[in-house]
Amino acid sequence: MRTSSSRRTPGRTRRTVLAAVTALAAGTALLTACGGDGADAADDGTITLRIGTFGSFGYDDKTGAKLYAEYEKAHPGIKIVESNVADGQKYWDTLKLRLSRNSGLADIQAVEVGYIAEATGSSMADKWVDLSKNGGADLGAFLDWKVKQATTADGRVIGLGTDIGPMAICYDKELFAKAKLPTERTEVGRLWAGDWSKFLATGRTYQKNAPAGTSFHDSASGLFNAVISSEPEQYANASGQLAWEDSPGVKKAWDTAVAAAGGGLTAKLRQFDEKGTWNAAFKNSKFATVACPSWMTGIIKDQAGAGNQGKWDIAAPPVAGNWGGSFLAVPKSGKHTKEAAELAAWLTAPAQHAKVFAVNGNIPSTKDTLSSAAVVGAKLPYFGDTPVGEIFAAAAANIRPAPISRWDGQMKTFLTDNGILDIEQRGTDPAKAWENVRKLAEDKIAR
């Protein structure tokens, strides 16, 4: 899945120092939370395999597909412990620190697509087990482009695909009705079909009749991510080199997000914020729409809660795109790499992809599962009779992956958390915010 990231703002000394202290403390906490090197073995021979994840992968035994319990039952000598972090950027920053030290690593580490080019690059490629030769995964089962993304220059596969993130728009039917907008998903999709500017126009219509205390959209940063996910050129050029300043995709996403923020169409929220403000806004029905890659359905279910079941529906997006998707990788430094590779292969096999989708809505990255009746015909209880599988499978068929660079994830963070969020929450002039992002990229990204 795809998450937002930690905040870093240039040009403000006190806030920069505080942010650095907070990030250091958070990194230490994350390292502590994951324990040692994942080398646990009990006196009775039981092996504990630790999995480091972020966001919602849908494997867990509490709200997910209970895959850990299923695997442990079939493998009595294995115990699985997941360490989960909400914030994807902090997760990645801490994972890089662990990799540099070969210490504190889980046996399996999730890697988000925005960072997979860095993970397969020259500085990290040798840190991972080659899963084309270990664990027994059927690489032919995955979408070809998904395997390619996780393949190093010399042909080693360092990650197995979990999900992909075909886009839709999730909307609150009750809020739409109160704002005198259509509520049937096909009609809703027609409101903005083919053009993100139509989405903004719908937002302006909503705000004219908005129920008190609500906004059309949750977050300008989230909207940025949705728009850029639908663009053929994003942060990198065709050669995989970072080229964000000249990217038409970045410009369109930036302009759309800035227009939403400036037009008062958003609730001014930071997605995945540590205080839980965004989560609480789901529960309290504070916004009517959220850009909705398939994995977002699980977040809506968990955060909007039982009291809002049946209120949310899913419509086609203005333009098809792919936001997010991840991989499971096995660090070489682990003491149980054989068992970890086998578990990673099992968790990402087609049968398990289908189970996760049925519970969490994460769209599989395996070809047969993606087109199977179990996925295409699926509905999620939280969304009632919405043909969830049909909507996202159709969106997935139109995905055309954009080139990615090793800096995509970092650049996304700078543009959203340091640029758009400042515009949205602090009223920073867009030109100044853009310049802040440019200076931050020059300072932090070595090219």
Side-chain angles (χ1 to χ4, degrees), residues 168-171 185 292 297 312-316 383 386 388 391-392:
I169 300 292
C170 289
Y171 65 99
R185 68 186 68 90
C292 202
T297 58
W312 285 87
D313 208 331
I314 307 171
F383 290 83
T386 303
V388 176
I391 291 169
F392 284 116

Side-chain angles (χ1 to χ4, degrees), residues 386-410:
T386 303
V388 176
E390 181 180 325
I391 291 169
F392 284 116
N398 292 315
I399 291 175
R400 298 293 180 268
I404 57 177
S405 79
R406 61 171 296 194
W407 301 109
D408 279 22
Q410 196 78 28

Side-chain angles (χ1 to χ4, degrees), residues 157-180:
V157 177
I158 64 101
L160 301 176
T162 57
D163 60 330
I164 54 178
M167 279 287 306
I169 300 292
C170 289
Y171 65 99
D172 185 315
K173 292 182 289 187
E174 290 190 4
L175 292 182
F176 263 50
K178 291 176 181 178
K180 301 178 182 180

Side-chain angles (χ1 to χ4, degrees), residues 143-216:
L143 293 165
D144 294 341
W145 58 264
K146 190 75 173 178
V147 176
K148 183 178 179 180
Q149 286 178 332
T151 302
T152 65
D154 60 358
R156 288 175 291 125
V157 177
I158 64 101
L160 301 176
T162 57
D163 60 330
I164 54 178
M167 279 287 306
I169 300 292
C170 289
Y171 65 99
D172 185 315
K173 292 182 289 187
E174 290 190 4
L175 292 182
F176 263 50
K178 291 176 181 178
K180 301 178 182 180
L181 287 170
T183 59
E184 195 279 322
R185 68 186 68 90
T186 303
E187 292 183 46
V188 171
R190 289 195 191 109
L191 293 173
W192 48 64
D195 194 338
W196 286 103
S197 66
K198 293 181 182 178
F199 184 75
L200 297 180
T202 303
R204 290 189 285 272
T205 300
Y206 176 90
Q207 294 299 151
K208 290 178 182 178
N209 302 296
T214 73
S215 300
F216 176 64

Side-chain angles (χ1 to χ4, degrees), residues 63-78:
T63 62
K66 297 179 173 57
L67 295 188
Y68 298 148
E70 182 180 347
Y71 194 82
E72 289 171 347
K73 184 176 180 180
H75 300 79
I78 298 292

Side-chain angles (χ1 to χ4, degrees), residues 81-264:
V81 176
E82 179 183 41
S83 295
N84 179 267
V85 176
D87 192 305
Q89 182 65 54
K90 288 184 178 177
Y91 169 89
W92 178 246
D93 290 344
T94 304
L95 177 54
K96 287 202 296 182
L97 177 62
R98 295 176 185 155
L99 285 168
S100 70
R101 295 176 174 177
N102 285 326
S103 175
L105 291 157
D107 296 282
I108 297 173
Q109 295 281 177
V111 178
E112 202 269 341
V113 65
Y115 306 102
I116 195 65
E118 187 172 3
T120 58
S122 57
S123 64
M124 288 191 192
D126 289 337
K127 299 285 187 179
W128 311 101
V129 170
D130 182 357
L131 296 175
S132 69
K133 298 179 179 178
N134 298 275
D138 177 9
L139 297 183
F142 294 91
L143 293 165
D144 294 341
W145 58 264
K146 190 75 173 178
V147 176
K148 183 178 179 180
Q149 286 178 332
T151 302
T152 65
D154 60 358
R156 288 175 291 125
V157 177
I158 64 101
L160 301 176
T162 57
D163 60 330
I164 54 178
M167 279 287 306
I169 300 292
C170 289
Y171 65 99
D172 185 315
K173 292 182 289 187
E174 290 190 4
L175 292 182
F176 263 50
K178 291 176 181 178
K180 301 178 182 180
L181 287 170
T183 59
E184 195 279 322
R185 68 186 68 90
T186 303
E187 292 183 46
V188 171
R190 289 195 191 109
L191 293 173
W192 48 64
D195 194 338
W196 286 103
S197 66
K198 293 181 182 178
F199 184 75
L200 297 180
T202 303
R204 290 189 285 272
T205 300
Y206 176 90
Q207 294 299 151
K208 290 178 182 178
N209 302 296
T214 73
S215 300
F216 176 64
H217 201 59
D218 68 320
S219 161
S221 294
L223 182 58
F224 175 93
N225 287 326
V227 176
I228 201 165
S229 79
S230 66
E231 289 295 305
E233 185 177 333
Q234 299 175 12
Y235 307 101
N237 59 26
S239 300
Q241 301 299 313
L242 185 66
W244 70 277
E245 286 188 88
D246 300 318
S247 166
V250 169
K251 177 173 171 46
K252 179 180 285 188
W254 177 272
D255 289 347
T256 303
V258 168

Side-chain angles (χ1 to χ4, degrees), residues 246-377:
D246 300 318
S247 166
V250 169
K251 177 173 171 46
K252 179 180 285 188
W254 177 272
D255 289 347
T256 303
V258 168
L265 305 185
T266 75
K268 301 182 179 181
L269 297 170
R270 180 184 183 275
Q271 293 184 335
F272 307 98
D273 68 303
E274 293 174 335
K275 294 181 179 179
T277 307
W278 182 63
N279 291 341
F282 275 110
K283 189 177 293 294
N284 296 320
S285 300
K286 291 296 185 180
F287 51 83
T289 65
V290 60
C292 202
S294 50
W295 46 261
M296 187 68 78
T297 58
I299 291 172
I300 293 173
K301 176 195 70 167
D302 292 343
Q303 302 306 331
N308 289 306
Q309 184 166 344
K311 291 184 180 180
W312 285 87
D313 208 331
I314 307 171
V319 185
N322 184 76
W323 175 5
S326 299
F327 304 82
L328 295 184
V330 176
K332 278 185 179 179
S333 59
K335 294 186 178 180
H336 303 296
T337 55
K338 176 180 179 296
E339 292 83 358
E342 290 171 353
L343 174 57
W346 185 84
L347 287 170
T348 57
Q352 279 60 256
H353 276 178
K355 295 169 189 173
V356 170
F357 173 76
V359 173
N360 219 51
N362 294 15
I363 285 287
S365 60
T366 43
K367 291 177 282 193
D368 289 346
T369 320
L370 184 58
S371 61
S372 69
V375 170
V376 177

